[in-house]
Amino acid sequence: MLRSASHVLAFTGAGVSTPSGIPDYRGPQGVWKTKTPVFYEEFMTDRSERIRYWQQKIDDFDAWGTAKPNAVHRAIVDLEHAGKLEMVVTQNIDGLHSAAGTSDDKLVEIHGTVRLVRCQTCGEETDPLPHYEAFRKTGEPPVCHCGGFLKPATISFGQNLDPFEIERARSAALSCDLVLALGSTLSVYPAASVPLVAAERGVPYV
């Protein structure tokens, strides 16, 4: 199937990145077994929750900072170089597809990325490292020059997905001729509905 396909949709989940040393979220040793997530409304309304959120993220940043793309990430880049890749739609926030070399126009990070920080008011995106360093020194959750709260550019519980990215993912599902579902339990919605759009069209699904 892969040999004959020319518009492959690769849908990836946490299992793709665990060989790179990044823990999953929902498995027996998953992140949410040891941490209580901060909901988006809590982040936006409660300073103490913003502090707790940034502490969690700085722990993740320290743990993930040395992670490197693995063979699966590189194989997907090979598909792109061969002209066979329609899109990568990933639930992962680790940025390893980008680090491996997947082009921005071939990548939908449907739950965002830890590789950027975004202002929740003006939308400006910046390098996260200076903000993490400032938080280490002061313990104060960082604020944008516009006064808005800064937050890693990931989707929190209770936060809406980016409709533009959802549409890019859906468009790819309507255009692909093969779906590769890699490292995902397909249990987190609405992201998991993306490969099903293709399956409902009768597209081969692996």
Side-chain angles (χ1 to χ4, degrees):
M1 285 188 290
L2 184 58
R3 184 171 297 173
S4 62
S6 57
H7 299 280
V8 177
L9 170 62
F11 183 86
T12 67
V16 165
S17 291
T18 50
S20 294
I22 294 177
D24 64 22
Y25 278 84
R26 299 171 187 276
Q29 305 300 319
V31 172
W32 299 138
K33 298 293 185 182
T34 59
K35 296 179 181 179
T36 301
V38 176
F39 280 71
Y40 186 66
E41 183 178 358
E42 296 170 334
F43 178 90
M44 294 299 293
T45 59
D46 188 330
R47 178 178 174 276
S48 66
E49 290 299 284
R50 287 194 293 279
I51 292 172
R52 186 165 71 88
Y53 178 90
W54 272 92
Q55 187 58 63
Q56 288 182 354
K57 289 302 178 182
I58 208 167
D59 292 344
D60 292 344
F61 189 78
D62 289 342
W64 299 0
T66 58
K68 303 295 183 186
N70 61 51
V72 177
H73 299 104
R74 293 190 293 272
I76 291 172
V77 174
D78 289 343
L79 282 178
E80 180 180 350
H81 291 167
K84 288 179 171 286
L85 186 67
E86 180 70 20
M87 190 71 70
V88 179
V89 178
T90 186
Q91 296 172 286
N92 299 336
I93 61 174
D94 49 51
L96 291 182
H97 284 295
S98 288
T102 297
S103 301
D104 288 347
D105 64 346
K106 293 290 186 181
L107 178 62
V108 175
E109 294 172 308
I110 207 161
H111 292 150
T113 176
V114 296
R115 308 284 172 153
L116 292 169
V117 162
R118 179 180 296 129
C119 175
Q120 300 306 293
T121 299
C122 72
E124 182 179 59
E125 294 182 336
T126 52
D127 179 0
L129 187 57
H131 303 300
Y132 285 126
E133 290 177 345
F135 181 77
R136 286 185 208 276
K137 291 177 181 177
T138 68
E140 291 293 325
V143 176
C144 181
H145 59 81
C146 77
F149 302 138
L150 293 178
K151 175 181 174 294
T154 57
I155 301 298
S156 296
F157 284 93
Q159 183 177 4
N160 292 332
L161 298 180
D162 184 334
F164 176 72
E165 295 301 310
I166 287 288
E167 183 53 36
R168 289 182 66 220
R170 178 177 171 79
S171 177
L174 291 171
S175 302
C176 68
D177 58 7
L178 175 65
V179 176
L180 300 179
L182 306 170
S184 175
T185 60
L186 299 178
S187 61
V188 179
Y189 285 82
S193 66
V194 172
L196 300 181
V197 170
E200 288 170 357
R201 295 172 44 234
V203 170
Y205 189 113
V206 179

